Amino acid sequence: METGQQERMNIVIVGHVDHGKSTVIGRLLADTGSLPQGKLEAVKLACERNAKPFEYAFLLDALKDEQAQGITIDTARVFFKSDKRHYIIIDAPGHIEFLKNMITGAARAEAALLVIDAQEGIRENSRRHGYLMSMLGIKQLIVLVNKMDLVEYSQAAFDTICSEYAAFLEQIHVHPKYIIPIAAREGENLIHASSRMPWYNGPSVLQAMDAMQKEIPDVSKALRFPVQDIYKFTAENDDRRIVAGTIATGEVRVGDAVTFYPSQKKSRIKSIEGFNVPSQNSAQSGQATGVTLETQIYIRSGEVMAKESDPAPFVSSAFRAHVFWLGKRPLIKEKRYKLKIGTHRVPVYVKTVHRVLDASSLDADSDKQQLDRHDVGDVEFEAVRPLAFDLSGEFEQTGRFVLVDEYDIAGGGIIVAAVQASTTATETFAARRNFAWVRGDISPSHRAIRYRQEPIFVLIVGAPGTGKAAIATALEKDLFERDQVVYYLGVDNITLGLDRDVSGQFEDRDEHIRRIGETAHLMMDAGLIVISTISDVDDGDVKRLMALASPFRTLVAAVGEWPFEWADSAIMMLAEHDTAAVDRIVGALRPFLHS
Ligand code: GTP
Ligand code: MG
């Protein structure tokens, strides 16, 4: 598809304000003959008439206005081609917008041009942007030392900036492919070698761009397939499901034994479906595809599919990362942030701030316990449930994440280490809550004697339509008639009440689960037996509910099947439409009922 003439490359251009980004782009367009006929002259003439000096940046503005006429420029992207390939240059207007686009993949750049003003020298953003590039995994960097005309095209001036900036990049392990002295406005070293800087014998900007390597999809790497969505076939009697997503690395073939993480569920690839194309035998990294599995397993979006024969991703609820913080509000402890990694979304908390660096000076402030805007930190995070991830040095996409503060993308980061976590954030918080719990003079044992029972959470799980609610209500009635103090907590009641501020979006599911668990916990603390039902749970949900219910016990009754790898003495299986279900649960509750 993308070969020869058609090859395209995305390059992002960054740098401090006024160092000349727009001029570089405008000049590249003009000198590669990419402008519409007469455009350059027209803009120059308009400037003359208004007695203002011509700027290449005006050229870009003028082209924007012509979008309607099919000119190939839009707000942030400029298109042109060299003899070698087509380029899309992304002008990064602000960090946040840029970071958002880069991480969501809307604007994935394969290389970066970083512009530094020769006269002004290295400024905050020269450093910050360098850091950001490395954090975003952009490995091909070309540094342009611009406005060389203002320093008389002096080699000494160039060398000073070169060595200072190279030393900075060294600290963040970035190795620029080229550092090129240019004068964008004058067109020096943009397309051809400049006669004004005979001491420089490297490539021009365009030659350096052409020398950048196209990222080849890494098929040889281990498979990482972040699950985006599960689709059901719409045809009647077709109960197959398509697991859809874009392959991040590696290759998947029909017949491959695969494991999904973090759930650890296993199956085998039955078919690889294309979108509007016939099914294939294999699919490779970079491809958006869908697979069907030989066995029916329940998985949700956010899981990562890997081959059983490949190294597995890490599964843990804690990890250590380098974070670049862009939020208006600082990154602080005790606050819930949404982590987006691959297709997964999970609430996380800052556990430890190991080190904070000023992103431009790289000065460390080891006592600082929060990250302010533009800080870079070495931070340990704790998630409310285990998640699957890789180290960014090994896997680009599954090792990189975005942090969302309320509704704003506020930071990005790369995972540098997995942390063995004995507890999830949910368990940590539940333990802390239990420790600090305030009571009146009535103790749990007073209530147990009065109500003749130990509180317990009966959680009935299973697919939708398996009769969970019928079992729950019958159980409530049965226990009530035995004079037990029992309450059926209908999940819909929570959705419409306590959860009214939580949108129905999947992303808020974790908060929904938390509130069910906390509500059940409160009622048990009041001495009740609480019964609730929940559909489509994954094992993370069940474990969280059990943690939230603590110190009270949870009895999980699974209708249909127990789809998880782990077992627990407090789990019982119920067949669908099991008429004896109620009796069986009451039987299991015996030790909690005092006669
Ligand atoms: P922002 O988008 O505002 O961040 O700026 P920018 O990085 O896009 O800079 P721009 O290209 O607008 O250039 C800023 C100023 O530097 C303009 O007045 C340009 O004419 C001037 N400039 C750009 N390149 C050169 C150069 O090679 N030599 C000299 N002397 N001036 C230049
Ligand atoms: Mg500009």
Side-chain angles (χ1 to χ4, degrees):
M1 285 179 337
E2 294 195 348
T3 54
Q5 273 300 343
Q6 293 302 307
E7 188 176 275
R8 285 159 35 143
M9 181 179 267
N10 293 342
I11 298 193
V12 62
I13 185 161
V14 292
H16 200 75
V17 173
D18 273 355
H19 281 198
K21 300 179 292 293
S22 301
T23 309
V24 168
I25 299 174
R27 195 77 215 208
L28 281 171
L29 287 179
D31 295 358
T32 53
S34 309
L35 292 171
Q37 193 87 49
K39 192 77 224 170
L40 185 60
E41 293 71 21
V43 175
K44 281 186 170 164
L45 196 66
C47 286
E48 238 167 72
R49 279 207 201 104
N50 297 315
K52 60 177 184 183
F54 168 77
E55 287 280 351
Y56 279 92
F58 299 157
L59 202 53
L60 301 182
D61 295 336
L63 288 171
K64 268 176 215 164
D65 301 337
E66 283 182 44
Q67 263 188 83
Q69 295 170 33
I71 305 293
T72 51
I73 182 167
D74 61 31
T75 38
R77 301 187 304 159
V78 179
F79 303 75
F80 77 96
K81 70 183 191 15
S82 70
D83 292 340
K84 181 161 181 192
R85 57 164 83 100
H86 290 260
Y87 287 102
I88 299 172
I89 308 247
I90 306 151
D91 193 356
H95 315 335
I96 296 185
E97 217 30 55
F98 168 62
L99 181 72
K100 204 187 284 183
N101 291 340
M102 287 291 295
I103 299 198
T104 54
R108 182 90 197 100
E110 290 154 86
L113 298 175
L114 192 144
V115 184
I116 300 175
D117 184 322
Q119 195 180 41
E120 258 196 37
I122 296 156
R123 299 296 301 272
E124 309 88 87
N125 280 345
S126 318
R127 293 201 175 89
R128 267 182 208 137
H129 290 170
Y131 204 99
L132 204 49
M133 293 304 103
S134 88
M135 193 150 277
L136 291 170
I138 299 176
K139 298 198 182 75
Q140 310 192 86
L141 178 68
I142 305 174
V143 177
L144 306 179
V145 179
N146 188 28
K147 307 194 192 180
M148 285 299 293
D149 53 310
L150 298 181
V151 294
E152 275 92 47
Y153 297 105
S154 136
Q155 179 172 12
F158 174 73
D159 287 346
T160 307
I161 292 184
C162 263
S163 52
E164 193 187 330
Y165 199 63
F168 167 78
L169 291 180
E170 187 61 45
Q171 289 181 65
I172 54 173
H173 311 293
V174 173
H175 308 285
K177 292 256 153 119
Y178 302 100
I179 305 185
I180 312 176
I182 64 167
R185 208 173 58 184
E186 319 304 322
E188 299 298 325
N189 271 340
L190 269 251
I191 312 289
H192 305 291
S194 161
S195 56
R196 292 189 154 127
M197 292 174 273
W199 46 266
Y200 171 76
N201 44 31
S204 69
V205 177
L206 193 64
Q207 285 163 351
M209 284 167 63
D210 281 347
M212 294 290 104
Q213 249 130 56
K214 190 70 199 151
E215 262 178 23
I216 30 166
D218 206 342
V219 178
S220 58
K221 265 194 169 165
L223 174 72
R224 293 294 186 261
F225 181 95
V227 177
Q228 179 77 52
D229 225 325
I230 314 289
Y231 297 108
K232 291 183 184 132
F233 276 85
T234 43
E236 242 180 280
N237 295 329
D238 196 343
D239 60 358
R240 283 179 303 159
R241 282 152 187 249
I242 297 188
V243 181
T246 300
I247 301 178
T249 54
E251 182 185 46
V252 61
R253 295 187 158 275
V254 170
D256 279 344
V258 292
T259 308
F260 291 84
Y261 298 90
S263 73
Q264 319 266 3
K265 286 181 195 168
K266 294 181 197 313
S267 192
R268 205 172 269 281
I269 304 291
K270 188 172 173 193
S271 70
I272 298 173
E273 311 287 327
F275 291 111
N276 303 318
V277 291
S279 44
Q280 303 143 287
N281 266 321
S282 69
Q284 284 94 26
S285 59
Q287 256 178 279
T289 188
V291 301
T292 63
L293 302 171
E294 281 184 0
T295 49
Q296 183 84 282
I297 56 172
Y298 179 74
I299 45 165
R300 285 209 306 242
S301 70
E303 297 227 26
V304 177
M305 182 175 87
K307 273 192 238 184
E308 227 178 277
S309 55
D310 278 340
F314 290 95
V315 173
S316 178
S317 59
F319 59 87
R320 197 159 163 172
H322 292 168
V323 178
F324 194 106
W325 192 248
L326 306 161
K328 287 192 207 86
R329 294 175 295 259
L331 174 75
I332 52 170
K333 289 183 181 176
E334 302 294 320
K335 184 167 174 187
R336 183 172 67 124
Y337 297 97
K338 186 170 24 173
L339 180 88
K340 294 188 175 191
I341 179 166
T343 54
H344 198 55
R345 278 101 186 83
V346 64
V348 295
Y349 294 83
V350 171
K351 198 173 173 192
T352 315
V353 175
H354 289 287
R355 206 161 63 120
V356 179
L357 290 180
D358 177 304
S360 67
S361 64
L362 293 188
D363 285 340
D365 184 344
S366 50
D367 294 334
K368 203 166 163 180
Q369 287 299 301
Q370 64 177 44
L371 267 65
D372 295 312
R373 195 171 208 181
H374 298 318
D375 277 347
V376 176
D378 176 350
V379 179
E380 194 174 315
F381 288 94
E382 185 180 41
V384 301
R385 45 151 84 225
L387 65 148
F389 57 85
D390 286 296
L391 305 189
S392 80
E394 292 159 17
F395 293 86
E396 193 47 47
Q397 293 182 43
T398 42
R400 188 145 45 82
F401 60 85
V402 186
L403 287 166
V404 179
D405 182 4
E406 280 155 32
Y407 294 98
D408 304 322
I409 289 186
I414 52 175
I415 299 184
V416 296
V419 176
Q420 269 291 357
S422 50
T423 55
T424 60
T426 309
E427 288 159 343
T428 309
F429 291 140
R432 208 191 291 167
R433 172 202 68 191
N434 295 345
F435 181 75
W437 199 259
V438 176
R439 267 182 228 294
D441 291 336
I442 317 298
S443 74
S445 50
H446 288 132
R447 291 184 211 277
I449 292 164
R450 167 71 57 85
Y451 299 149
R452 297 177 303 105
Q453 65 185 33
E454 303 292 337
I456 183 168
F457 187 25
V458 182
L459 181 63
I460 305 177
V461 303
T466 41
K468 295 184 296 295
I471 297 171
T473 49
L475 176 65
E476 182 192 35
K477 191 157 179 236
D478 185 293
L479 290 172
F480 187 79
E481 279 165 2
R482 291 168 197 264
D483 284 342
Q484 301 303 148
V485 187
V486 59
Y487 185 73
Y488 165 49
L489 177 63
V491 169
D492 284 346
N493 301 344
I494 295 204
T495 311
L496 297 172
L498 186 60
D499 256 2
R500 219 163 52 87
D501 60 324
V502 175
S503 79
Q505 284 174 7
F506 173 75
E507 307 201 350
D508 288 323
R509 185 182 174 88
D510 284 299
E511 178 57 14
H512 179 61
I513 296 280
R514 191 184 74 81
R515 293 185 190 187
I516 295 171
E518 288 292 354
T519 307
H521 173 265
L522 275 175
M523 298 179 110
M524 287 187 280
D525 194 62
L528 278 68
I529 293 172
V530 182
I531 306 164
S532 200
T533 65
I534 184 159
S535 292
D536 284 347
V537 275
D538 67 12
D539 67 333
D541 296 335
V542 176
K543 285 178 180 163
R544 283 191 74 211
L545 284 165
M546 293 171 95
L548 290 161
S550 73
F552 304 105
R553 291 285 304 273
T554 301
L555 171 72
V556 183
V559 184
E561 54 170 339
W562 178 247
F564 309 118
E565 290 291 306
W566 52 281
D568 192 290
S569 58
I571 293 164
M572 60 183 303
M573 309 299 184
L574 304 173
E576 257 173 70
H577 314 298
D578 192 341
T579 45
V582 171
D583 292 343
R584 291 190 48 213
I585 298 176
V586 172
L589 289 177
R590 280 269 180 256
F592 293 82
L593 311 179
H594 306 168
S595 41

